[in-house]
Amino acid sequence: MINKLKQIFILLFVPLILSFNCGETGSAGQVKENKPDLKSMKDSIRKPLDKMQLLVNAYPDYIEKAENNKIYWKDGTTMVYDDGKDKSYEDLLDNPDIEDMLSQEYTLGANWDIPPAKNFEPGRIRNEPFFRKMYGDSKSAVMSNLTTINWFGTSVQVSTVNGVDEQFKSVIAELEKLPSEFHKYFKRTAGTFNYRKIAGTDRYSAHSFGIAIDINTDYSDYWQWDKSMTYKNKIPIEIVEVFEKYGFVWGGKWYHYDTMHFEFRPELIIK
Ligand SMILES: [Zn+2]
């Protein structure tokens, strides 16, 4: 009986296994050469590490490498990437690890899911020690890294860390070129740097690090202003796309929507 089964196995599966090794059939029905496709191999091998690597690519001034579940900072210190804990959504906001920050994928441009699914808000989860490490661990430390830039006639303070000030200047130069009907949305600003906790929470706002801006509140919608959680937005996508081009995510793509809010989060923008 066992021998019979062995025979059946050999007859059925060995040709099948061999046929896999002989090469795959391409979309045009032709047999490809049996050469390993190094690029796709590399992509598939790298997949689990891709997200960690995004951090290295996004913050090259500060992060040396990311491997073995650790972020290696250039000052010689390390941070755990994934703490392995299961978290409720509230825990994700209050005590996220670095991996949690990257758990929701930000979609660039106009083709995103609107309105956002419940609690889908890439960028709203922030591991605070990660940002404190780069932008400053106290109000005075953050302030020592700020510079003043001219936002369409208003002086605002933004961080020089990670070249954030230069990214803001690029955004300004491109927004300026948009047709004049767009200008009312962004020429007035509700502010950039503001060292404060998010209302009703113990979490510091991205504004605390000089990496965020709120544009004109007259055309903005914010979930806290209407807790029914009915998504609303007036900000044209053309404006959003300019910010995204320079590494900023938009709070208008969040379930807890904040359509005036843009923040520098290149790890969510680079692919
Ligand atoms: Zn804001």
Side-chain angles (χ1 to χ4, degrees):
M1 185 63 187
I2 301 266
N3 276 344
K4 188 81 186 158
L5 279 176
K6 261 188 191 166
Q7 260 181 354
I8 291 170
F9 177 84
I10 288 164
L11 281 171
L12 281 177
F13 290 98
V14 168
L16 199 68
I17 290 161
L18 284 174
S19 77
F20 273 121
N21 282 335
C22 284
E24 50 181 314
T25 306
S27 55
Q30 288 167 324
V31 173
K32 281 186 193 167
E33 269 185 79
N34 189 20
K35 248 198 265 173
D37 177 351
L38 280 181
K39 197 192 165 295
S40 69
M41 266 177 69
K42 204 171 140 205
D43 286 350
S44 63
I45 291 165
R46 275 190 51 194
K47 268 267 139 44
L49 298 176
D50 271 354
K51 287 191 171 179
M52 279 176 92
Q53 189 58 36
L54 289 177
L55 296 164
V56 185
N57 298 347
Y59 300 109
D61 292 349
Y62 286 88
I63 301 176
E64 182 75 47
K65 61 180 179 176
E67 60 189 31
N68 303 324
N69 200 32
K70 275 190 189 139
I71 306 296
Y72 291 80
W73 295 89
K74 287 199 168 170
D75 67 2
T77 60
T78 61
M79 281 184 188
V80 170
Y81 175 67
D82 182 359
D83 63 15
K85 291 180 191 158
D86 282 334
K87 300 179 187 110
S88 67
Y89 191 66
E90 275 310 303
D91 287 342
L92 280 176
L93 291 175
D94 287 337
N95 291 303
D97 60 24
I98 297 170
E99 183 258 342
D100 295 328
M101 290 206 302
L102 300 168
S103 58
Q104 298 182 337
E105 204 165 314
Y106 187 86
T107 305
L108 292 174
N111 298 320
W112 56 288
D113 287 333
I114 174 174
K118 183 163 188 201
N119 293 337
F120 188 79
E121 34 206 14
R124 198 160 169 258
I125 299 169
R126 304 178 193 87
N127 175 274
E128 211 169 284
F130 182 85
F131 294 97
R132 292 188 171 279
K133 183 90 181 164
M134 295 188 285
Y135 296 107
D137 198 17
S138 63
K139 184 176 182 180
S140 61
V142 173
M143 287 181 77
S144 70
N145 292 320
L146 297 180
T147 189
T148 301
I149 62 167
N150 177 5
W151 183 270
F152 302 98
T154 306
S155 291
V156 296
Q157 288 186 299
V158 298
S159 185
T160 55
V161 170
N162 292 319
V164 173
D165 54 330
E166 292 304 317
Q167 299 303 95
F168 266 109
K169 286 178 194 167
S170 298
V171 168
I172 291 166
E174 278 208 34
L175 287 178
E176 199 142 42
K177 286 190 231 154
L178 286 178
S180 56
E181 65 262 32
F182 290 114
H183 290 206
K184 64 181 181 187
Y185 298 100
F186 58 75
K187 282 205 164 176
R188 268 175 54 194
T189 169
T192 53
F193 170 68
N194 187 356
Y195 199 83
R196 64 173 167 82
K197 287 181 179 175
I198 300 167
T201 77
D202 259 340
R203 308 190 299 270
Y204 278 82
S205 153
H207 290 277
S208 305
F209 303 113
I211 61 172
I213 187 167
D214 291 334
I215 56 175
N216 194 346
T217 49
D218 289 350
Y219 299 100
S220 298
D221 295 283
Y222 181 39
W223 70 279
Q224 292 270 26
W225 295 340
D226 170 16
K227 292 196 177 178
S228 74
M229 299 306 302
T230 310
Y231 182 82
K232 294 179 210 70
N233 172 47
K234 303 177 200 80
I235 306 297
I237 195 69
E238 287 83 349
I239 292 170
V240 175
E241 286 178 317
V242 170
F243 276 98
E244 288 177 349
K245 184 173 169 186
Y246 295 101
F248 293 80
V249 298
W250 177 43
K253 290 185 176 176
W254 296 347
Y255 176 72
H256 292 86
Y257 55 92
D258 184 358
T259 73
M260 72 194 108
H261 181 87
F262 293 89
E263 91 182 57
F264 185 70
R265 298 291 295 284
E267 74 276 22
L268 293 166
I269 297 282
I270 56 172
K271 298 291 171 196

